[in-house]
Amino acid sequence: MYKTKIIEIGEIVQDFKEERLLILFGPKATPELRLISVIHDHDDNKKHVINENGKLIIGTSEYTITKVGSAANDNFDELGHVSIYFRDGENEVLPGAIVVEPNEWPDFRTGDQIVFK
């Protein structure tokens, strides 16, 4: 299990709600990336914590991880970065992304936990 805490929410994160896309980044994100990302207190000592059929909890919302892109764990390990789609597409999952269900945008705020298990 991996736990982290939301420390900042970018100004335009909510603009992605209609797309059902949430972008996570660790604290080393550039200013441009911070605008579109949920910044979390990333622990880069944890390795490969994102698994198909695993669980993702954001605040009080719980999801099942249905697809994991080929680079998702490496990106998360190194940068605390992963793109989370709360919808299933017709195409392959992008390398740095995961797909979760149910297809509902989470309710979250600064200080909430993010858990992968």
Side-chain angles (χ1 to χ4, degrees):
M1 182 175 355
Y2 175 80
K3 293 181 182 180
T4 185
K5 187 189 307 183
I6 296 172
I7 57 175
E8 181 182 330
I9 299 171
E11 292 176 27
I12 59 175
V13 166
Q14 291 295 324
D15 291 354
F16 291 91
K17 183 175 183 175
E18 187 174 315
E19 299 279 330
R20 293 188 302 220
L21 169 62
L22 185 65
I23 301 169
L24 298 184
F25 253 104
K28 295 178 186 175
T30 64
E32 295 82 11
L33 291 171
R34 292 178 106 78
L35 288 174
I36 63 169
S37 301
V38 170
I39 307 300
H40 63 100
D41 189 21
H42 177 61
D43 175 1
D44 57 8
N45 291 322
K46 298 289 185 182
K47 301 294 180 203
H48 287 76
V49 298
I50 303 170
N51 300 295
E52 259 185 43
N53 300 314
K55 298 293 182 187
L56 167 64
I57 301 167
I58 301 175
T60 59
S61 302
E62 184 171 321
Y63 303 89
T64 299
I65 300 167
T66 60
K67 295 181 183 174
V68 178
S70 60
N73 270 297
D74 290 339
N75 289 348
F76 193 77
D77 292 349
E78 185 176 338
L79 303 168
H81 167 61
V82 68
S83 297
I84 305 167
Y85 287 90
F86 300 88
R87 60 179 165 79
D88 197 4
E90 296 175 12
N91 301 323
E92 293 287 318
V93 63
L94 295 172
I98 64 173
V99 178
V100 301
E101 58 181 34
N103 300 331
E104 298 169 3
W105 181 264
D107 181 27
F108 56 87
R109 62 185 148 272
T110 303
D112 282 353
Q113 279 196 335
I114 298 172
V115 179
F116 286 97
K117 60 179 184 175

